[in-house]
């Protein structure tokens, strides 16, 4: 194949004479003094000199007989001994026999080119291997490039310059994306009208250089023509005999993605093979039909399911349905709290196309289009979000439906029970301390101050809140050991909640997870740019447990969460989610920490930490290297790496970065010191040993201007209460926040609670039970009485610290 339109540069006259006319006549003077009138005749005589042909040479080209890229810039030059070179002409042979034969130039069609260089695209359309086994195979073609000069009189070089070399390329790969590859070689089920999609890439010289291919073609061949055998059908499509069943070549970058997808006409039921191949601009064609890449077994049949429909929000997570009779999902919802749903759908896995969606509330007749809030509407983009709705009482049902281009539908119904918050009681204390399960090894005396038992824990909190009016521990303190769910209707009867929790970031066993995890764990809405509806994980169904704590806060209930590693419970306990700390909850509650975060559509924007607590980064006081966000490579690579934040001088039991005291960052609070039962001489947390672990929130060393550009400065709704005090004041965590106010709902006043006030909620990222009860009581009472304005017992009836 000759060059596809060379683009040249440089002067045509390469000999540098600069004249536009050739001398043609040798003038003979009749006399030497013509101007003096001494000439004997007024006629000029002489004869024309013969024109001499120009010569030509190749200045730069691949070495003779070498192998080169199929795109080559060639340089040449020419000289005319008695004039100027007007232009050049070139000719390229495709050496079918592998080398140049003189007969290849017979009847050559020479092409003009102006200038002394041009870039040519040579064909490389002959397989280097007889039986290739990969799509990206080597293709070659031998060529000889001829160039000759033409002077201004039209005379051509008698001997062209030439260079022979072999052009080389890799054939393009094409991968069918719809329908998706099923398990093994099971045929993908598609409807009679199906849309096939694919992606293709052309490797130029090696796998590091790539571009879009030139064109593609496809075939859809019924197995009925080949003994109903998939293998025989594929073998037929691999053979030259199948040329007639392949569709014409289509430009890969054609408008409206017509080079990247194809919708079939109505097809008869039966088995087929769909195959794809691509061609690059050197003529190399995908040589292999690979059933895991560019060939797919399909079965055209009547479907019983529709598109995959995902209905999600922050309270329910994701409901995923593929039929119109999917079971009802039931959700308890706080009165007056707005609720919207995100809808997305996918039919790509079976070759369908989602035609539209519709949704509405409290639809009695699904066949009446007037009862739908929005009737069938095509998706604009990948998702749509319904307007927020809130209800003050009753039970309401949200219905969403999608339909594909063959009329198959999927439907999700969410029944919402509206719960009114009455707040007839002042304070609920939730004992979510898993040390209760270690009855044989707990108690400050038995464990040398390491772990309190259930009695010590309950007595501590009973004493701390003893001055709250009408608090009855037998009624208002519940244990997660006996109550594995605290319904929203129970929380709705309280003005305020203290949730004491024992969390463990290393625990994945469901039996070891605190009840708090069940509520505040991140509920995926599957809207990340890194996920598509067809990639959605298993959704929820039946009665759903929402984040009742977040709902209570939005309804105007004030909450204090305190304990060991409480907020890390937002993380789903999935084997594929390997987390390193510090954590960025906006981006990393669902996606891994490799690559780069999804800035455009952060998955954690509705997570409890970000939305309800105003937390943008979480770290730990004690952070071993195995959990640290350290620099690495491969699967260990993390953006925003930091050095591990602890040192261990002396013995392994000495941790100078662990917490020994809480220093107030809010002047309204007292200092908190470890109690003697745990930190006295010889105890587990004695001064010469270790302190306790603590969560660290929004630390200064992990934000914009420090270690991570993806962590902003703390928002106004985040207000530190306590800073971590450890033995080593040079630790990066020293005086970083370990307790804070969250003002996300400080202006929300519960609408049905008489005397309700708007106030901040709080988080203590350490277990207060390890600290001096009297100091803790003073701190907690500031929250209960000064911030939340709960009624206090009269002074003569007040409880002891």
């Amino acid at each position: 194949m000759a060059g596809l339109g060379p683009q040249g540069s440089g002067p045509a006259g390469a000999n540098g004479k600069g004249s536009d006319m050739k001398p043609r006549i040798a003038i003979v003077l009749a006399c030497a003094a013509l101007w003096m009138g001494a000439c004997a005749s007024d006629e000029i005589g002489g004869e024309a000199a013969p024109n001499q042909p120009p010569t030509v040479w190749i200045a730069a080209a691949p070495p003779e007989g070498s192998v080169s890229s199929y795109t080559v810039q060639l340089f040449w030059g020419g000289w005319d001994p008695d004039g100027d070179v007007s232009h050049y002409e070139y000719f390229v042979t495709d050496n079918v026999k592998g080398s140049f034969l003189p007969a290849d130039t017979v009847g050559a069609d020479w092409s003009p080119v102006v200038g002394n260089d041009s870039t040519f695209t040579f064909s490389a359309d002959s397989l280097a291997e007889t039986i290739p086994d990969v799509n990206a195979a080597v293709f070659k073609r031998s060529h000889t490039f001829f160039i000759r000069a033409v002077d201004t009189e039209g005379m051509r070089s008698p001997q062209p310059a030439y260079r022979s070399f072999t052009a080389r390329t890799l054939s393009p790969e094409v991968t069918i994306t719809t329908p998706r590859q099923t398990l093994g070689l099971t045929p993908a089920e598609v409807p009679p009208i199906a849309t096939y999609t694919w992606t293709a890439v052309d490797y130029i010289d090696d796998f590091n250089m790539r571009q879009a291919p030139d064109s593609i073609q496809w075939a859809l061949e019924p197995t009925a023509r080949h003994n109903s055998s998939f293998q025989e059908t594929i073998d037929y499509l691999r053979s030259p005999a199948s040329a007639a069943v392949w569709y014409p070549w289509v430009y890969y970058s054609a408008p409206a993605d017509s080079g990247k997808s194809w919708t079939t006409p109505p097809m008869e039921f039966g088995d087929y093979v769909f195959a794809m191949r691509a061609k690059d601009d050197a003529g190399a064609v995908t040589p292999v039909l690979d059933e895991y890449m560019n060939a797919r077994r399909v079965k055209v049949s009547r479907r019983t399911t529709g598109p995959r429909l995902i209905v999600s929000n922050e309270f329910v997570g994701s409901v995923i349905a593929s039929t119109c009779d999917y079971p009802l999902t039931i959700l308890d919802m706080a009165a007056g709290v707005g609720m919207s749903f995100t809808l997305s759908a996918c039919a790509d896995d079976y070759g369908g196309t989602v035609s539209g969606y519709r949704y509405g509330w409290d639809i009695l007749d699904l066949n009446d289009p007037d009862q739908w809030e929005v009737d069938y509407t095509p998706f604009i983009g990948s998702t749509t979000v319904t307007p927020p709705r809130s209800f003050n009482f009753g039970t309401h049902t949200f219905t969403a439906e999608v339909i594909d281009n063959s009329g198959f539908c999927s439907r999700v119904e969410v029944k919402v029970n509206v719960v009114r918050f009455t707040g007839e009681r002042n304070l609920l204390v939730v004992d979510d301390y898993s040390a209760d399960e270690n009855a044989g090894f707990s108690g400050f005396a038995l464990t040398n101050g390491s772990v309190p038992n259930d009695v010590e824990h309950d007595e501590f909190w009973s004493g701390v809140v003893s001055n709250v009016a009408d608090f009855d521990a037998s009624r208002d303190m519940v244990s997660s050991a006996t109550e594995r769910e605290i319904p929203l209707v129970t929380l709705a009867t309280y003005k305020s909640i203290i949730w004491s929790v024992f969390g463990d970031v290393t625990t994945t066993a469901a039996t070891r997870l605190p009840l708090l995890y069940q509520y505040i764990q991140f509920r995926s809405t599957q809207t990340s740019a890194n996920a598509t509806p067809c990639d959605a994980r298993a959704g929820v169904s039946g009665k759903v447990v929402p984040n009742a704590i977040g709902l209570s806060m939005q309804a105007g209930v004030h909450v204090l969460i305190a304990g060991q590693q409480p907020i890390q419970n937002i993380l789903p306990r999935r084997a594929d989610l390997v987390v390193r700390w510090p954590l960025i909850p906006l981006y990393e509650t669902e996606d891994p920490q490799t690559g780069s975060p999804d800035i455009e559509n952060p998955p954690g924007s509705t997570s409890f930490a970000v939305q309800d607590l105003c937390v943008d980064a979480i770290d730990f006081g004690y952070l071993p290297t195995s959990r640290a966000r350290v620099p690495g490579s491969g699967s260990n690579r993390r953006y925003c790496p930091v050095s591990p934040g602890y040192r261990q001088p002396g013995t392994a039991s000495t941790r100078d970065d662990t917490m020994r005291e809480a220093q107030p960052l809010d002047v309204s609070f007292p200092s908190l010191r470890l109690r003697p039962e745990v930190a006295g001489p010889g105890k587990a947390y004695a001064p010469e040993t270790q302190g306790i672990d603590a969560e660290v929130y929004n630390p200064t060393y992990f934000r914009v201007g420090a270690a991570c550009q993806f962590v902003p400065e703390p928002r106004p709704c985040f207000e530190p209460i306590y800073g971590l005090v450890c033995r080593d004041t040079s630790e990066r965590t020293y005086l970083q926040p370990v307790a804070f106010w969250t003002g996300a709902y400080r202006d929300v006043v519960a609408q049905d609670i008489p005397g309700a006030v708007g106030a901040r909620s709080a988080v203590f990222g350490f277990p207060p039970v390890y600290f001096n009860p009297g100091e803790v009581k003073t701190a907690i009472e500031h929250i209960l009485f000064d911030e939340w304005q709960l009624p206090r017992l009269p002074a003569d009836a007040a409880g002891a610290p």
Side-chain angles (χ1 to χ4, degrees):
M1 182 180 74
L4 302 180
Q7 296 180 349
S9 61
N15 59 7
K17 290 186 178 181
S19 174
D20 292 331
M21 295 290 294
K22 274 190 174 181
R24 291 287 184 268
I25 302 174
I27 301 177
V28 180
L29 296 179
C31 100
L34 179 62
W35 61 279
M36 296 179 64
C39 185
S41 173
D42 60 357
E43 292 183 1
I44 299 176
E47 65 182 61
N51 182 24
Q52 299 184 53
T55 59
V56 69
W57 60 86
I58 293 177
E64 181 71 23
S66 65
V67 177
S68 171
S69 170
Y70 70 90
T71 301
V72 182
Q73 186 175 13
L74 301 175
F75 296 83
W76 53 82
W79 182 74
D80 186 17
D82 56 357
D84 284 331
V85 172
S86 169
H87 62 279
Y88 299 89
E89 293 177 338
Y90 73 91
F91 172 65
V92 178
T93 65
D94 295 338
N95 302 330
V96 178
K97 300 294 185 180
S99 61
F100 165 66
L101 296 175
D104 292 337
T105 63
V106 175
D109 185 13
W110 292 81
S111 300
V113 58
V114 177
N116 295 86
D117 71 276
S118 192
T119 299
F120 295 85
T121 297
F122 295 92
S123 62
D125 54 2
S126 177
L127 263 171
E129 301 176 60
T130 305
I131 304 177
D133 57 0
V134 293
N135 275 338
V138 175
F139 278 70
K140 295 181 179 180
R141 171 68 67 190
S142 173
H143 298 278
T144 301
F145 173 80
F146 295 86
I147 189 78
R148 66 188 182 186
V150 183
D151 67 18
T152 54
E153 293 299 311
M155 181 170 283
R156 291 166 171 80
S157 306
Q159 183 63 45
Y162 64 89
R163 184 66 54 85
S164 296
F165 57 91
T166 298
R168 176 191 181 277
T169 188
L170 294 175
S171 54
E173 286 183 342
V174 59
T175 301
I176 298 170
T177 54
T178 304
R180 294 193 169 196
Q181 177 66 47
T182 56
L183 183 64
L185 298 178
T186 304
E189 294 189 6
V190 299
I193 300 175
T195 298
Y196 294 84
T197 64
W198 52 83
T199 60
V201 60
D202 177 29
Y203 301 105
I204 302 174
D205 288 320
D206 55 44
F207 292 107
N208 296 319
M209 301 175 63
R210 59 180 62 192
Q211 62 186 8
D214 176 78
S215 52
I216 50 88
Q217 67 174 174
W218 60 85
L220 182 61
E221 179 70 1
T223 64
R225 297 176 183 171
H226 308 280
N227 299 319
S228 298
S229 168
F230 282 110
Q231 190 58 56
E232 289 186 25
T233 307
I234 293 171
D235 291 341
Y236 167 74
L237 291 172
R238 288 170 175 158
S239 70
S242 68
V245 304
W246 287 86
Y247 279 72
W249 290 100
V250 176
Y251 181 47
Y252 182 72
S253 300
D257 283 340
S258 58
K260 301 181 178 74
S261 65
W262 173 60
T263 299
T264 71
M267 304 297 295
E268 297 289 336
F269 291 157
D271 293 338
Y272 296 78
V273 172
F274 178 73
M276 293 288 311
R277 58 191 182 192
K279 180 169 64 176
D280 66 13
D281 51 359
V285 177
T286 309
V288 173
L289 292 184
D290 183 339
E291 292 197 63
Y292 292 94
M293 291 187 66
N294 60 327
R296 189 78 78 241
R297 303 183 184 199
V298 297
K299 178 182 289 293
V300 177
S301 60
R302 190 180 307 279
R303 292 190 60 80
T304 58
T305 60
R308 181 174 298 187
L309 168 62
I310 302 178
V311 176
S312 59
N313 69 11
E314 61 189 282
F315 306 112
V316 73
S318 296
V319 184
I320 304 174
S322 296
T323 67
C324 265
D325 56 359
Y326 191 76
L328 187 70
T329 300
I330 303 172
L331 171 71
D332 291 342
M333 188 66 186
V337 174
M339 175 173 51
S340 63
F341 291 92
T342 298
L343 311 183
S344 58
C346 171
D348 294 352
D349 52 348
Y350 62 85
T353 300
V354 178
S355 298
Y357 66 88
R358 61 179 179 174
Y359 63 83
W361 285 92
D362 299 329
I363 300 171
L364 299 178
D365 183 0
L366 297 175
N367 296 317
D368 182 358
D370 293 336
Q371 295 190 29
W372 293 85
E373 185 175 328
V374 172
D375 204 3
Y376 280 124
T377 303
F379 279 98
I380 299 177
S382 59
T383 63
T384 190
V385 180
T386 68
R389 292 283 298 272
S390 62
F391 303 94
N392 291 320
F393 54 85
T395 297
H396 303 269
T397 301
F398 174 80
T399 304
E401 189 176 281
V402 293
I403 193 170
D404 70 7
N405 57 326
S406 296
F408 302 109
C409 76
S410 298
R411 184 184 306 126
V412 165
E413 292 181 294
V414 181
K415 180 180 179 181
V416 179
N417 299 317
V418 179
V419 177
R420 298 184 70 85
F421 280 69
T422 58
E424 60 245 40
R425 298 172 184 167
N426 291 321
L427 177 65
L428 172 69
V429 176
V430 178
D431 171 12
D432 196 11
Y433 211 67
S434 63
D436 299 347
E437 301 173 5
N438 301 323
F441 191 74
S442 62
F444 286 139
L446 181 62
T447 64
N448 201 32
S450 293
V451 182
N453 58 32
D454 185 53
V455 173
E456 291 167 332
H457 177 270
D458 292 353
E459 287 180 348
F460 171 84
W461 281 107
S462 295
V464 166
V465 303
S466 61
N467 289 335
V468 175
D470 197 34
F471 179 80
D472 182 349
S474 64
R475 178 195 63 191
D476 301 324
M477 180 178 286
V478 297
S479 171
S480 62
T482 56
E483 302 290 338
R484 289 311 297 170
E485 178 183 350
I486 303 177
L488 186 64
V489 292
T490 299
L491 301 180
T493 60
Y494 288 91
K495 296 184 180 72
S496 52
I497 301 167
I498 293 178
W499 201 294
S500 175
V501 62
F502 182 92
D504 184 354
V505 71
T506 64
T507 295
T508 57
T511 56
R512 296 283 297 168
L513 292 170
L515 180 60
L516 181 68
Y517 170 79
Q518 182 174 326
Y519 293 107
I520 72 171
Q521 64 171 306
F522 178 65
R523 287 160 168 78
S524 174
T525 58
Q526 305 288 345
T527 58
S528 168
N530 297 327
T532 67
C534 284
D535 295 323
R537 302 183 183 94
V540 299
S541 62
K543 183 69 185 316
V544 175
V545 178
N547 180 0
I549 300 174
L551 276 175
S552 298
M553 293 171 65
Q554 294 186 46
V557 174
H558 311 130
V559 176
L560 167 63
I561 299 174
Q564 176 169 304
Q565 302 177 353
I567 308 306
Q568 56 83 22
N569 284 292
I570 63 170
L571 289 174
R573 293 308 200 267
R574 297 199 328 257
D576 63 324
L577 188 64
V578 179
V579 175
R580 297 293 182 264
W581 304 85
L583 175 82
I584 310 173
L586 181 62
Y587 304 117
E588 299 170 354
T589 47
E590 182 172 43
D591 293 338
Q593 296 168 311
T594 54
S596 59
D598 184 0
I599 303 295
E600 296 297 325
N601 194 9
S605 59
T606 59
S607 72
F608 181 66
V610 174
Q611 176 176 275
D612 303 312
L613 301 184
C614 304
V615 170
D616 298 310
I618 306 173
D619 202 1
F620 293 99
Y622 167 63
L623 188 66
T625 306
S626 60
R627 290 194 281 123
R629 197 184 192 111
V630 296
S633 60
S635 61
N636 293 321
R637 185 173 62 255
R638 301 290 191 274
Y639 52 84
C640 296
V642 296
S643 299
Y646 86 103
R647 293 177 284 277
Q648 289 190 166
T651 65
S653 62
T654 302
R655 296 171 182 163
D656 286 349
D657 57 346
T658 48
M659 182 175 175
R660 303 206 58 81
E661 184 178 336
Q663 180 170 314
L665 302 177
D666 181 329
V667 296
S668 301
F669 288 84
S671 296
L672 302 182
R673 293 164 294 183
L674 292 174
R675 60 197 295 177
E677 296 95 323
V678 304
K683 298 297 184 179
Y685 300 102
E688 68 276 6
T689 59
Q690 60 185 341
I692 66 169
D693 194 10
E695 284 185 341
V696 178
Y697 308 106
N698 294 348
T700 58
Y701 55 79
F702 193 67
R703 64 176 66 158
V704 169
C708 190
Q709 70 272 29
F710 303 118
V711 179
E713 292 294 321
R715 289 170 279 164
C717 53
F718 176 87
E719 301 173 75
I721 294 176
Y722 280 112
L724 182 147
V725 175
C726 55
R727 189 159 48 197
D728 186 354
T729 59
S730 67
E731 285 288 344
R732 66 179 186 180
T733 54
Y734 187 74
L735 293 186
Q736 296 300 306
V738 292
F740 62 92
W741 294 110
T742 170
Y745 307 110
R746 69 187 307 164
D747 298 325
V748 176
V749 179
Q751 57 184 357
D752 294 325
I753 300 177
V757 298
R760 298 169 292 182
S761 291
V763 171
F764 280 31
F766 54 89
V769 68
Y770 285 83
F771 289 82
N772 187 300
E775 295 170 349
V776 174
K777 185 180 181 72
T778 300
I780 300 301
E781 285 191 342
H782 173 65
I783 296 173
L784 298 175
F785 302 129
D786 298 331
E787 181 72 19
W788 295 352
Q789 299 183 33
L790 295 179
R792 181 195 289 265
L793 285 175
D796 58 352

